[in-house]
Amino acid sequence: MLLVLDGLGGLPHQSHGLTELEAARTPNLDQLAREGQTGLSQAVGLGVTPGSGPGHLALFGYDPIGNNIGRGALSALGLGLDLNDGDLAVRLNFCTLGADGTVLDRRAGRIETEVNHVLVQKLNEIDIPDVDLRFVTESQHRAVLVLRGPNLDRRVVETDPQAVGVPPKHPDALDPKATHTSALLAQILVEVRSVIGAETPANFVLMRGYAGTPKLPTLGNLYGLNPVCVATYPMYKGLARTVGMEVIDSLHTLSDQVATLDNAWDAYDYFFLHVKAPDARGEDGDFDGKVAAIEDVDERLIEIVEHAPDVLVVTGDHSTPSRLGQHSWHPSPCVFWGDTVRADETSSFGERSCGGGSLGVFPAQAIMALMLAHSGRLAKFGA
Amino acid sequence: MLLVLDGLGGLPHQSHGLTELEAARTPNLDQLAREGQTGLSQAVGLGVTPGSGPGHLALFGYDPIGNNIGRGALSALGLGLDLNDGDLAVRLNFCTLGADGTVLDRRAGRIETEVNHVLVQKLNEIDIPDVDLRFVTESQHRAVLVLRGPNLDRRVVETDPQAVGVPPKHPDALDPKATHTSALLAQILVEVRSVIGAETPANFVLMRGYAGTPKLPTLGNLYGLNPVCVATYPMYKGLARTVGMEVIDSLHTLSDQVATLDNAWDAYDYFFLHVKAPDARGEDGDFDGKVAAIEDVDERLIEIVEHAPDVLVVTGDHSTPSRLGQHSWHPSPCVFWGDTVRADETSSFGERSCGGGSLGVFPAQAIMALMLAHSGRLAKFGA
């Protein structure tokens, strides 16, 4: 079982000097650390801040650099949309444009998801010859557009300027083969303007994360695993589907997630349990909220451990220090716990304590090999 | 000097919580750890269980993945057989076939080596045109067949089914160029059946580990070393010969091995001293036996250190926890001791203590470079 506390790692609080994880009361995680082996896992490399895609691909054992999946495809997969070969998925933000054509708010005041639904319904009336367009609500200001048609190419400039006070960029082709797609996206943006240009506050969209259908070998093919994803957020379900996991749907709370293990335990042999809250509170800059989110997981840990996995790994996909309010490059505390895990001298679960663990700072991509080894699933190499 | 305690690393005992090495009384190894630098060496990679071949190649500084030597060649070299270019070496197990042609015992009840000698003598009467066959006893049920003739190719299916209750596999060609070898091995197996088919319990052989003559640059060529192997077991002598070491023969005990250093010390500049017992007792599942084997080495350590090597490294090629009774993927405790070694804060030689050492978890392949550096044999890189 891989238990991911999204954005787990943090930085010391500027008054009391403890990180969120160090400040949290985590008797159960501390016991894992005492009985298990610890270290700091690093998804991409020293100094590199991982997005959710590379962060999780590494945890699943994939090269996170060679397998960079576009955000559009992740979002589409997370929403359960079918992507065919040749489709192009685009991540959209509803935004607010000023009268001068510059971006006033890249997220249109984080509109309610209900408003998003109404806008998406209008956008789905856009009709352009030779291409099927499907706009789909993700949440709040976030949506996805899937294009299906001939000759689509993702090598186009993202229109999101990543700043306010400037106009959106034009979707210029970055490669001669993307000229058709560039023209198509420009035409779509004209239509979008005509359909929702009079709305408030969301009167336009910004495009980014162009992506074709990701093609990865599955965990079943690679390792003979029958894996399952126990997550609440679309993005992580999408990542899990991309690597061939089955996804248990209709989970909304940590309580749902833990409860579903009872039924699922005998049906699968690899569990990816994803907890979003530590990252969300970290991005909010909410130190105490992140502490509470970590403590919530600690309280449910006994119910998870009760299932007696061959090996349990608890770590993050990246750090999200509430002090920074965003993903960071700091490696993630990590603990391995199980019958064949060789304990080290770490006695609590935290950034500093795991920093002295016998795994050292190690690539998150190695977690899968270690999990397979600790489950007795790898043969000896060489005579 | 590289002192390899084969299978050194272990796992905590389920009652008292100490590993074999931690439980052993090792005042001399502890002193090395106190005065030296420690870490955990890893032959192949995180989660990978090394066989003896890759485990030792890494310790000698070779890439253990790019230089995977077949078991047949290792066994042949270990027996002191000459292998020429183009020869094919095959590892044989004498086995017991049932009347229905399925394998009843893959090791023929581990027959006495004397019985093996008699069987091998009979098999050496097999005569096939255009190829020289040489069957050689290894020990118990283990033997080697060396084929010498034109057009031999190792890309053939191993006939050992690695299971009982099923027939041996047919030596099918895995590549069109191996068709001749496939037919030849099939013919040999027919002859083997006719020569020993009526014996009990060893009435057939299983073939695996097909290997051509390994071609590795020697330690002499690579590093200007004049290296020597001080080992008792054929396999490790074979590995040492493969990398160009001289091998001191007729050593049977640890006492022999330590005593021979007196004469050899001035004749060589790199010593590979291999102690098999910790691995053998670990494979037997004999915790106390492995403890005793480690203590035996500790007692002789003073006589080794007396020779004042520039640098002494003590480690394992892989772990063999007696709890598992087989090689494992856990990295090996490692200590560097010598005049230019920078000591760390480790104060005893064990899995947990070395896990906090300043070498961290590091690739065993780097040990050679560090030994050369600590012996003053490497020039500055760059101006």
Side-chain angles (χ1 to χ4, degrees):
Chain A
M1 163 162 294
L2 174 67
L3 169 56
V4 176
L5 276 68
D6 202 303
L8 174 61
L11 283 171
H13 192 282
Q14 282 166 314
S15 66
H16 56 63
L18 298 177
T19 68
E20 298 90 334
L21 176 57
E22 289 168 347
R25 199 183 155 274
T26 55
N28 298 308
L29 287 165
D30 292 344
Q31 184 174 347
L32 293 188
R34 218 160 34 242
E35 297 175 359
Q37 184 184 20
T38 67
L40 294 170
S41 70
Q42 180 171 267
V44 183
L46 285 165
V48 180
T49 298
S52 301
H56 277 83
L57 286 182
L59 290 173
F60 301 151
Y62 295 81
D63 171 8
I65 296 175
N67 296 292
N68 195 2
I69 300 177
R71 179 83 183 210
L74 287 180
S75 292
L77 290 165
L79 293 168
L81 303 179
D82 284 330
L83 285 184
N84 291 352
D85 275 2
D87 289 356
L88 183 70
V90 183
R91 168 67 197 279
L92 304 179
N93 267 10
F94 284 106
C95 69
T96 309
L97 283 196
D100 62 352
T102 64
V103 177
L104 296 181
D105 185 336
R106 288 179 54 242
R107 299 181 184 89
R110 295 185 185 269
I111 49 170
E112 295 291 322
T113 303
E114 289 313 304
V115 177
N116 183 319
H117 276 297
V118 173
L119 294 167
V120 157
Q121 206 168 354
K122 293 185 182 187
L123 293 178
N124 271 323
E125 284 165 22
I126 295 174
D127 186 32
I128 293 179
D130 297 329
V131 65
D132 289 334
L133 302 182
R134 185 150 57 134
F135 291 87
V136 186
T137 297
E138 196 170 348
S139 65
Q140 294 182 305
H141 55 285
R142 306 177 194 95
V144 176
L145 165 61
V146 177
L147 296 87
R148 183 165 295 171
N151 199 17
L152 298 171
D153 196 301
R154 67 191 183 85
R155 288 167 289 181
V156 176
V157 170
E158 303 195 334
T159 72
D160 185 344
Q162 299 280 347
V164 294
V166 292
K169 295 185 184 174
H170 191 268
D172 290 324
L174 293 166
D175 186 281
K177 289 183 184 152
T179 313
H180 167 69
T181 305
S182 169
L184 193 57
L185 293 178
Q187 187 181 355
I188 291 168
L189 288 170
V190 169
E191 297 284 339
V192 167
R193 195 85 176 103
S194 85
V195 171
I196 65 167
E199 303 281 338
T200 300
N203 61 4
F204 198 51
V205 297
L206 301 174
M207 294 177 161
R208 60 194 172 102
Y210 306 120
T213 306
K215 291 192 198 80
L216 291 175
T218 66
L219 295 178
N221 283 334
L222 288 170
Y223 308 121
L225 289 172
N226 180 20
V228 68
C229 164
V230 183
T232 58
Y233 267 60
M235 160 79 79
Y236 309 96
K237 298 188 204 175
L239 277 160
R241 281 199 189 89
T242 302
V243 298
M245 291 193 207
E246 283 200 43
V247 172
I248 299 178
D249 274 318
S250 306
L251 303 173
H252 302 290
T253 65
L254 179 56
S255 188
D256 293 346
Q257 291 176 276
V258 173
T260 203
L261 293 177
D262 284 335
N263 291 325
W265 195 257
D266 291 335
Y268 303 96
D269 55 15
Y270 176 98
F271 293 79
F272 161 50
L273 204 161
H274 179 270
V275 183
K276 178 67 175 172
D279 176 62
R281 295 296 80 73
E283 295 214 318
D284 294 342
D286 177 0
F287 187 98
D288 294 338
K290 186 171 167 189
V291 169
I294 293 168
E295 290 181 344
D296 283 348
V297 176
D298 189 80
E299 279 171 26
R300 312 307 297 258
L301 200 62
I302 295 171
E303 293 164 72
I304 295 169
V305 170
E306 261 175 6
H307 293 285
D310 292 326
V311 59
L312 168 64
V313 174
V314 185
T315 190
D317 52 337
H318 54 76
S319 291
T320 306
S322 51
R323 173 134 69 89
L324 303 182
Q326 57 186 14
H327 292 200
S328 79
W329 59 94
H330 307 85
S332 303
C334 181
V335 59
F336 275 72
W337 181 86
D339 191 47
T340 62
V341 172
R342 186 196 273 166
D344 56 23
E345 297 191 324
T346 303
S347 59
S348 67
F349 192 55
E351 286 83 351
R352 262 170 281 222
S353 56
C354 290
S358 68
L359 282 164
V361 179
F362 72 104
Q365 206 187 331
I367 288 175
M368 175 59 82
L370 284 167
M371 290 179 78
L372 291 167
H374 285 299
S375 313
R377 285 170 173 264
L378 296 182
K380 186 164 65 176
F381 175 72
Chain B
M1 164 161 295
L2 173 67
L3 170 56
V4 176
L5 276 67
D6 203 302
L8 173 61
L11 283 173
H13 192 282
Q14 280 166 315
S15 66
H16 57 62
L18 298 177
T19 68
E20 299 89 335
L21 177 58
E22 289 168 348
R25 198 182 156 274
T26 55
N28 297 309
L29 287 165
D30 292 344
Q31 185 174 347
L32 293 188
R34 216 159 36 241
E35 297 175 0
Q37 183 183 22
T38 66
L40 295 170
S41 71
Q42 179 171 267
V44 183
L46 284 166
V48 179
T49 298
S52 301
H56 277 84
L57 287 183
L59 290 173
F60 301 151
Y62 295 80
D63 170 9
I65 296 175
N67 296 293
N68 196 0
I69 300 176
R71 180 83 183 210
L74 287 180
S75 292
L77 291 165
L79 292 168
L81 304 178
D82 284 330
L83 285 184
N84 291 352
D85 275 2
D87 289 357
L88 182 72
V90 183
R91 168 67 196 278
L92 304 179
N93 268 10
F94 284 107
C95 69
T96 310
L97 282 196
D100 61 354
T102 63
V103 177
L104 296 181
D105 186 334
R106 289 179 53 241
R107 299 180 184 89
R110 294 184 184 271
I111 50 170
E112 295 291 323
T113 303
E114 290 313 306
V115 177
N116 183 320
H117 276 297
V118 174
L119 294 167
V120 156
Q121 206 168 354
K122 293 185 181 186
L123 292 178
N124 273 322
E125 285 166 21
I126 295 173
D127 186 33
I128 292 178
D130 297 330
V131 66
D132 289 336
L133 303 182
R134 186 149 56 134
F135 290 87
V136 186
T137 296
E138 195 169 349
S139 66
Q140 294 181 307
H141 55 285
R142 306 177 194 94
V144 176
L145 166 61
V146 177
L147 297 88
R148 183 164 294 170
N151 198 16
L152 298 170
D153 194 303
R154 66 190 185 86
R155 287 167 291 181
V156 175
V157 170
E158 304 196 332
T159 72
D160 186 344
Q162 298 279 348
V164 294
V166 293
K169 295 185 184 174
H170 191 267
D172 291 323
L174 293 168
D175 186 280
K177 289 181 184 155
T179 314
H180 168 68
T181 306
S182 168
L184 193 57
L185 293 178
Q187 188 182 355
I188 291 168
L189 288 169
V190 169
E191 297 285 339
V192 167
R193 195 89 175 100
S194 85
V195 171
I196 65 167
E199 303 281 337
T200 299
N203 60 6
F204 200 49
V205 298
L206 301 174
M207 295 177 160
R208 61 194 170 101
Y210 306 120
T213 306
K215 292 191 197 80
L216 292 175
T218 66
L219 294 179
N221 283 333
L222 287 170
Y223 308 120
L225 289 173
N226 180 19
V228 67
C229 164
V230 183
T232 58
Y233 268 58
M235 161 78 80
Y236 310 95
K237 299 188 206 175
L239 278 161
R241 282 199 188 89
T242 303
V243 298
M245 291 192 206
E246 283 201 42
V247 173
I248 300 178
D249 274 319
S250 306
L251 302 174
H252 302 290
T253 65
L254 179 57
S255 189
D256 293 345
Q257 292 176 274
V258 174
T260 203
L261 293 178
D262 285 337
N263 291 325
W265 196 257
D266 291 334
Y268 304 96
D269 56 14
Y270 175 100
F271 292 80
F272 161 50
L273 203 161
H274 179 268
V275 183
K276 177 69 175 172
D279 176 62
R281 296 295 81 73
E283 293 215 319
D284 293 343
D286 178 1
F287 188 98
D288 295 338
K290 186 170 167 188
V291 169
I294 293 168
E295 290 179 344
D296 283 348
V297 177
D298 190 79
E299 279 171 25
R300 311 307 297 255
L301 200 61
I302 294 171
E303 294 164 71
I304 295 170
V305 170
E306 262 175 4
H307 293 286
D310 292 326
V311 59
L312 168 63
V313 175
V314 185
T315 189
D317 53 336
H318 54 76
S319 290
T320 306
S322 51
R323 175 134 69 86
L324 302 182
Q326 57 187 14
H327 292 199
S328 79
W329 59 95
H330 305 86
S332 303
C334 181
V335 59
F336 276 70
W337 181 87
D339 191 46
T340 62
V341 172
R342 184 196 275 165
D344 56 24
E345 298 193 322
T346 303
S347 59
S348 66
F349 192 55
E351 287 83 350
R352 261 169 282 224
S353 55
C354 290
S358 69
L359 282 163
V361 180
F362 73 103
Q365 204 186 332
I367 288 174
M368 174 59 82
L370 284 166
M371 290 179 77
L372 292 167
H374 285 300
S375 314
R377 286 170 172 262
L378 296 183
K380 186 162 63 176
F381 175 72

